[in-house]
Amino acid sequence: MDRLNFAAIDIGSNAVRLLIKGIYPGESVSDLSKVFIVRVPLRLGQDTFTKGRISTEKTEKLLRLMHAFSQLMQVYNVLSYRACATSAMRDSSNGADIVRYISERSGINIEIINGLEEARIVYDSHIVDELEQEGDFIYVDVGGGSTEISIISDRSLLQSQSYNIGTVRILNKKLSRSELFRMYRDLKRLKETYRHISIIGSGGNINKLHHLAGVSAREPLTVERLLTLRNELNSYSIVERIDRFALKPDRADVIIPAADIYLQIATHIGAREIWVPTIGIVDGIIYSLCSDYLKEKEN
């Protein structure tokens, strides 16, 4: 029996990902399971946040990557896909030109989406259902170029906000203090409204921190444990982190600023724990693609 496969491409500021998930005929969207995943640390944000535009060299690397992804999707008989580019591409002065160039030469259509769309996509993946928890949450997605914060209350998405605060920006010393203070002001207002609130963390860095902390999959990462782990990681050089914690080079440098962002958010919101259901934008994209496909089959 052939599997029905769907694919998502996430062109982020730090890395580019391809995820393929599938179901068998007769199964529902809740039965989606991973078929293939690959992550390539292209770090487009390195160009955007320091030079204002993505270089020809990285554009050509991205093009070769999209050619490869196109071939992989054909190998896995992908029924439908969606490719989304986030902060680095939307902030780059030549982002729109690159999207057209790659579309013409690879056949892969790329959408440049804003931060609010990023948050909506992940919420559409039914991330709260993974928690089996009731209450008020802020969903936090820390990326290389931006951080998205959404309010989820009684399993409903109430509001979202995007901030140009990301790990690659911080590494390149391109973080705007005014943007940081804007986030702090918003978090203060949220704290006044929601007295007891937890964080849902999304992205490769918080997933890795959760794993390094030795917390079981169904348990939250406490803010206290995150601070201890952050300080332990920071006591080693990047090379030592790679060796001691089995981190990839492009993870070993961004993991500290990622931890700092989560700790700052937790402090300003008064949260004591971070739930990490390991769902991100690629999962949300595939969830929507599969749901749409099943609805069309019903009609």
Side-chain angles (χ1 to χ4, degrees):
M1 186 182 298
D2 291 334
R3 190 192 294 257
L4 307 174
N5 289 333
F6 306 87
I9 298 172
D10 171 23
I11 303 172
S13 301
N14 190 35
V16 181
R17 298 171 182 83
L18 167 66
L19 174 65
I20 300 175
K21 283 186 172 182
I23 59 171
Y24 287 104
E27 290 185 327
S28 69
V29 67
S30 62
D31 297 309
L32 277 166
S33 60
K34 187 189 301 180
V35 175
F36 178 84
I37 186 169
V38 63
R39 175 183 180 274
V40 180
L42 200 53
R43 198 157 283 191
L44 297 175
Q46 189 82 38
D47 283 357
T48 299
F49 307 140
T50 59
K51 306 170 188 174
R53 57 187 287 114
I54 295 170
S55 67
T56 300
E57 178 185 2
K58 289 203 173 176
T59 298
E60 292 304 317
K61 285 183 178 180
L62 181 59
L63 175 59
R64 290 195 291 273
L65 197 53
M66 291 303 104
H67 276 303
F69 284 4
S70 177
Q71 293 295 316
L72 285 165
M73 288 192 291
Q74 291 180 52
V75 168
Y76 285 99
N77 297 315
V78 166
L79 292 173
S80 61
Y81 77 92
R82 186 180 180 189
C84 296
T86 55
S87 182
M89 194 71 79
R90 66 176 174 254
D91 286 2
S92 174
S93 63
N94 59 343
D97 294 333
I98 291 173
V99 164
R100 284 193 295 270
Y101 173 76
I102 290 177
S103 176
E104 291 170 358
R105 285 161 177 76
S106 71
I108 290 184
N109 294 314
I110 300 170
E111 304 171 53
I112 300 177
I113 63 172
N114 61 35
L116 301 185
E117 174 69 358
E118 284 187 63
R120 187 198 62 78
I121 288 172
V122 178
Y123 176 76
D124 284 349
S125 71
H126 290 223
I127 191 169
V128 290
D129 294 341
E130 294 289 317
L131 296 177
E132 300 177 356
Q133 301 287 329
E134 300 293 337
D136 299 322
F137 299 91
I138 59 168
Y139 162 71
V140 180
D141 183 11
V142 175
S146 66
T147 292
E148 279 68 50
I149 297 179
S150 303
I151 310 305
I152 299 174
S153 182
D154 295 328
R155 297 186 178 272
S156 297
L157 179 65
L158 301 185
Q159 58 177 292
S160 297
Q161 188 59 262
S162 180
Y163 306 90
N164 286 332
I165 299 169
T167 58
V168 179
R169 285 187 196 270
I170 292 172
L171 287 179
N172 286 281
K173 296 180 172 55
K174 296 297 180 181
L175 178 61
S176 165
R177 291 179 64 84
S178 62
E179 188 75 345
L180 191 63
F181 291 144
R182 181 171 75 91
M183 184 180 76
Y184 290 165
R185 287 193 298 270
D186 290 347
L187 291 172
K188 181 181 178 182
R189 285 194 289 267
L190 289 176
K191 184 179 181 180
E192 293 169 353
T193 304
Y194 302 96
R195 295 296 181 181
H196 303 286
I197 194 165
S198 296
I199 297 173
I200 301 173
S202 175
N205 287 304
I206 195 65
N207 291 344
K208 179 59 70 173
L209 288 162
H210 188 270
H211 173 73
L212 291 176
V215 182
S216 65
R218 290 288 179 178
E219 294 298 319
L221 172 61
T222 65
V223 172
E224 182 180 10
R225 179 70 184 96
L226 175 58
L227 177 59
T228 300
L229 177 59
R230 182 264 179 214
N231 290 337
E232 181 184 1
L233 287 164
N234 197 48
S235 68
Y236 297 102
S237 69
I238 292 175
V239 173
E240 289 171 332
R241 282 177 222 155
I242 293 170
D243 180 59
R244 182 176 287 267
F245 300 96
L247 295 176
K248 294 179 181 179
D250 68 297
R251 179 75 69 204
D253 58 352
V254 296
I255 200 165
I256 297 297
D260 287 341
I261 293 171
Y262 277 103
L263 288 167
Q264 290 171 32
I265 291 172
T267 298
H268 282 80
I269 202 70
R272 296 181 178 179
E273 57 191 14
I274 303 172
W275 294 88
V276 188
T278 65
I279 287 180
I281 184 172
V282 283
D283 300 278
I285 289 171
I286 289 177
Y287 192 100
S288 295
L289 290 173
C290 184
S291 295
D292 292 344
Y293 174 83
L294 294 176
K295 287 176 185 176
E296 288 180 9
K297 294 292 286 185
E298 291 175 358
N299 300 330

